[in-house]
Amino acid sequence: MKKQKKRKLDYVVISDVHLGTYGCRAKELLNYLKTIQPKVLILNGDIIDIWQFNKRYFPKSHMNVIKHITSLLSKGTTIYYITGNHDEMLRKFKGFQLGNFKILNKLVLNIDDKKAWIFHGDVFDITMKHSKWLAKLGGKGYDFLILINTFINWISKLFGYRKLSLSKKIKNSVKSAVKFIDNFEKTASDIAIENEYNYVICGHIHQPEIREIENQKGKTTYLNSGDWIENLTALEYKNRKWSLYEYTNDEIAQNTDKKLSKNELKNANKEEKNNFLFEELLKEFDIQKPLK
């Protein structure tokens, strides 16, 4: 079977994967990652959901995403892990670097002579600053809503109806949610313009977007990578241009599993037998376990 050629990209930004939660679409994300070969991969926050982490729920598909991302390091990809609110525990490791892997709270890059300001975005969330317990409660409620949504979509599929998103409908219909998103985008862009950044790249609000925003002092391009719970989106940069990737429009990625040969499936199943993250990471970095 002919192997599918991977798309070569200069930069890829993904955020809000929420590994360790029921709503995470890890299989779809892995399918996407298998189709690309990025020079730089930016993980822009909430990749692992430490807030809601439960050792009883971390399936193999979630582990395989981590395994694949670490394998990219050995292939020359530079990976920046920018911390978010759901993985804020990692903020104490700000500045940590191991080879091409770096943990940061924010990142400024020069991309083809243009300055890009990259951060998760929870710094603009008043709820995070003043009522963290309420935000955590909201996160659990969101996860429960996704569970209900998954069940509804399963029934819809049985009867031949298309999928629907309850949280999207809620966000798009509630005026305060629409206003929050608009304020978030404006605040980020205003600060970017003030500091002469050509791009401001965020996650956090699960609202994929690329648009130019202008005020009295200038203009900038606001970008949001969306999420891997509902929208299944990422930001891609190639040939001096940003684009918004949507998994639902990518038939190649959707059929990735179907294109695996028998040997590849056999090897994949063999690898999945190992459930220990530490041992998998040792293998990826080619580090030998110490002798007892």
Side-chain angles (χ1 to χ4, degrees), residues 7 20 47 62 68 74 81 88 110 127 131 188 210 237 239:
R7 292 188 296 118
I47 304 303
H62 293 215
H68 185 85
S74 63
Y81 193 121
E88 64 181 351
N110 190 309
T127 306
S131 192
I210 297 179
Y237 184 85
N239 296 330

Side-chain angles (χ1 to χ4, degrees), residues 159-173:
F159 288 95
Y161 295 108
R162 64 179 183 177
K163 290 183 178 181
L164 58 88
S165 171
L166 295 177
S167 62
K168 269 189 184 180
K169 287 184 177 294
I170 291 171
K171 279 194 288 187
N172 292 337
S173 61

Side-chain angles (χ1 to χ4, degrees), residues 30-31 45 51 75 84 94 133 166 194 208 211 272:
L30 185 60
N31 286 347
W51 273 11
K75 296 171 184 174
K94 177 188 71 172
W133 69 269
L166 295 177
E194 186 73 32
R211 69 184 179 106
E272 283 185 357

